[in-house]
């Protein structure tokens, strides 16, 4: 079995589990508990993503570096079908757009209408950005579950 096929299958299992788990928390405990869970766990996972990035030699502390590192980490977890575009990239500001989202596609395939991914994305990207550089911010400015055609993050290096 080719490596990319194995990677895609493993990533698909992770996404499937995550979507079901987040939906279960929402349905049994409510939106507030889901957001609280995301704030705590997704932020920590984002910070852990920095360690993984370091392990693979993805370094840098500015907005342009973060705009390269974060999509690479998500692609590692979500598989080769996940697609991003770096729309803007300078040391002080960068914009990343998600063109193809495996998580969102899974949510749609399961006909889930609740927003179970915006807070996960927000806190994961924010946690990783802060781990890359405490002066770096990540803002989720567009999100498919909020009615946008894609998800988009802005990284800014505060001085």
């Amino acid at each position: 079995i080719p490596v990319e096929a194995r990677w895609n299958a493993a990533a698909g299992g992770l996404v499937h589990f995550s979507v079901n788990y987040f939906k279960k928390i929402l349905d049994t405990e409510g939106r507030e508990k889901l957001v609280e869970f995301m704030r705590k766990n997704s932020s920590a996972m984002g910070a852990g993503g920095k360690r993984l990035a370091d392990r693979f030699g993805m370094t840098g502390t500015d907005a342009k570096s973060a705009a390269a590192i974060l999509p690479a980490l998500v692609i590692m977890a979500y598989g080769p079908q996940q697609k991003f575009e770096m729309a803007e990239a300078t040391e002080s500001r960068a914009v990343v757009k998600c063109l193809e989202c495996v998580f969102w596609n899974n949510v749609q395939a399961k006909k889930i209408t609740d927003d179970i991914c915006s807070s996960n994305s927000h806190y994961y990207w924010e946690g990783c950005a802060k781990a890359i550089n405490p002066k770096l911010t990540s803002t989720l400015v567009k999100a498919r579950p909020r009615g946008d055609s894609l998800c988009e993050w802005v990284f800014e290096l505060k001085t």
Side-chain angles (χ1 to χ4, degrees), residues 104 107-108 113-118 142-148 150-151:
W104 177 249
V107 167
Q108 294 298 289
T113 57
D114 298 305
D115 179 358
I116 60 170
C117 59
S118 293
K142 293 182 182 178
R144 284 179 179 94
R146 298 177 192 160
D148 296 306
L150 51 73
C151 293

Side-chain angles (χ1 to χ4, degrees), residues 62-82:
D62 60 19
K64 185 176 182 177
S65 298
I69 292 169
L70 264 292
L73 292 172
V74 174
I75 291 168
M76 287 172 69
Y78 286 3
Q81 294 177 355
Q82 185 79 24

